[in-house]
Amino acid sequence: MKNLQVQIDAHSGFCFGVVYAIEMAEEILNDEGVLYCLGDIVHNDEEVKRLKNKGLIIIDHQVLSELRNEKVLIRAHGEPPSTYELAIKNNLTLIDASCPVVLKLQHRIKNSFDKGDSIYIYGKHAHAEVIGLLGQTNNEAVVFQDISELDLATVPKNITLYSQTTKSTDKFYEINDMLKGSGIEVNTNDTICRQVSNRDRELRDFAGKFDSIVFVSGTKSSNGKVLFNVCKETNPNTYFISNSDQIDSSWFSENDRVGICGATSTPMWLMEEVKERILTF
C-alpha cells in the first residue's frame, strides 16, 4: 500500500443546469420507465450509461423527425425554435430542461436579432448550445471560435457581441478589446455562466495543493478539455481519465497527496468511485 491521501474537489461536479436536467429525467424514468432524450443528456459516458440503464433513450434530430406522440427531454444546452415547431407538428411532449442561463441568452439574442443588430457569437462551431443560439437568428449570426477566423476589415463597424455560456471570460474580453481596438463599435454582452467560468480560478488553487491530480471527465466535454488544461498548467502531474479503470498506480509515489476533480459534466458518484480505486493502491 502506498498510503495515499486522496481528496475530491468540493467545487467539482455537475453545474446546476445539468443537475436540473438529470433530476427531471430521473423523475420521469422512475414514474414511467422510459424517456427519449434529444442528444446526450450530459457529455459524460458513464452518467449516460447509468441513465440508459434506467430507461433513457438517446435520439438525434433525424429520429426526432420520425417520432410521434412521445415525451422527449430537451437537455440543458437548449434547442433552436425549429425543434419546438417539429414537436407541435409530431404531437411530441417536450420536457424542457434547458438551462435557465442558456434560455436567458436565447431570448437576448432573439431580441437583438428582431432589432436588426449584426450579431456575433463567440462559441464553438456546431456545439449544441450554439446551434440553439443560431436558431434565434435564422442562422444569420456569425459564430467564431477565435478572432483569427474574422476578417476584421469586413466586420461591420457596429456589432452586438455574445458568448456561448461556457467560454473563457478572459478570452471573451480579450476578443472584445481586439475588436474595439480595430475601430469596431461593440455592444458587449457578457453571457458567460460564472459557475463555469469561476472554475478556472478554483481549479488552479486546488491543483496546486497536491502532488498529483486525477481529472475525471467525458471525452466529449468541451468544458472538460479546457479545465483539464487549467489543472495541467498548474500541476504537470495531472492525468485525464473517464472512468476508474483507466487509473495507473505508477502515477503515484508513496505518501503522495492526490487531488480528484472534474468537469461541470462529471458526476460526483464517479469521482467517489475514482477515489475508492486510488485508495486500493
Side-chain angles (χ1 to χ4, degrees):
M1 298 287 286
K2 296 189 175 185
N3 189 36
L4 301 173
Q5 301 171 53
V6 186
Q7 181 181 328
I8 297 174
D9 173 30
H11 298 290
S12 285
F14 291 151
C15 63
F16 73 88
V18 172
V19 170
Y20 177 62
I22 289 176
E23 285 180 349
M24 290 182 77
E26 288 191 304
E27 187 176 325
I28 294 170
L29 289 169
N30 289 337
D31 289 343
E32 303 179 20
V34 66
L35 175 65
Y36 291 95
C37 179
L38 186 55
D40 285 345
I41 190 168
V42 62
H43 288 152
N44 186 278
D45 291 341
E46 300 301 314
E47 180 67 4
V48 170
K49 190 187 304 178
R50 183 183 74 84
L51 292 168
K52 279 183 175 179
N53 289 335
K54 292 174 72 77
L56 191 71
I57 301 170
I58 307 296
I59 61 172
D60 58 19
H61 285 82
Q62 178 60 44
V63 174
L64 182 75
S65 67
E66 299 162 1
L67 210 58
R68 302 289 187 279
N69 312 312
E70 296 285 359
K71 283 185 179 178
V72 180
L73 182 82
I74 300 298
R75 58 190 175 166
H77 297 94
E79 282 290 319
S82 56
T83 298
Y84 296 87
E85 292 161 8
L86 179 63
I88 294 171
K89 178 183 171 186
N90 289 5
N91 196 36
L92 300 172
T93 301
L94 294 184
I95 312 300
D96 199 340
S98 299
C99 172
V101 176
V102 174
L103 282 179
K104 183 179 179 181
L105 173 54
Q106 288 186 350
H107 293 150
R108 289 177 69 176
I109 288 179
K110 178 69 165 62
N111 288 337
S112 289
F113 179 70
D114 289 344
K115 287 191 301 181
D117 293 353
S118 295
I119 299 170
Y120 281 67
I121 301 172
Y122 169 49
K124 183 179 179 182
H125 296 291
H127 188 280
E129 180 189 323
V130 173
I131 290 170
L133 300 179
L134 265 176
Q136 310 305 316
T137 71
N138 290 335
N139 296 322
E140 293 178 22
V142 176
V143 173
F144 64 100
Q145 292 181 191
D146 189 88
I147 197 164
S148 62
E149 297 174 26
L150 303 177
D151 179 1
L152 296 179
T154 61
V155 171
K157 291 305 177 187
N158 191 315
I159 67 171
T160 298
L161 179 66
Y162 289 97
S163 174
Q164 180 181 339
T165 61
T166 53
K167 300 301 283 183
S168 161
T169 309
D170 291 344
K171 186 70 175 175
F172 175 74
Y173 279 104
E174 181 184 314
I175 287 169
N176 179 63
D177 290 345
M178 289 176 73
L179 289 167
K180 288 182 176 179
S182 299
I184 298 167
E185 187 175 330
V186 185
N187 174 19
T188 308
N189 296 270
D190 181 347
T191 51
I192 295 168
C193 176
R194 287 307 185 265
Q195 188 178 5
V196 174
S197 66
N198 287 345
R199 297 287 296 120
D200 287 26
R201 194 174 302 109
E202 292 167 351
L203 276 185
R204 284 191 183 94
D205 291 342
F206 181 80
K209 296 175 181 176
F210 298 89
D211 297 303
S212 56
I213 292 291
V214 176
F215 189 90
V216 189
S217 173
T219 55
K220 297 177 185 175
S221 172
S222 301
N223 167 257
K225 290 169 187 169
V226 171
L227 294 180
F228 167 73
N229 286 326
V230 166
C231 289
K232 189 81 172 173
E233 287 168 7
T234 304
N235 187 331
N237 298 321
T238 296
Y239 305 95
F240 186 104
I241 65 167
S242 295
N243 58 62
S244 58
D245 292 337
Q246 297 172 347
I247 305 167
D248 189 332
S249 63
S250 68
W251 295 342
F252 316 114
S253 300
E254 193 170 340
N255 300 318
D256 267 2
R257 291 165 297 119
V258 181
I260 299 172
C261 51
T264 53
S265 54
T266 303
M268 186 57 71
W269 67 261
L270 184 56
M271 287 183 283
E272 294 280 3
E273 194 175 274
V274 168
K275 178 180 179 179
E276 291 304 312
R277 178 66 187 275
I278 292 173
L279 288 172
T280 66
F281 298 145

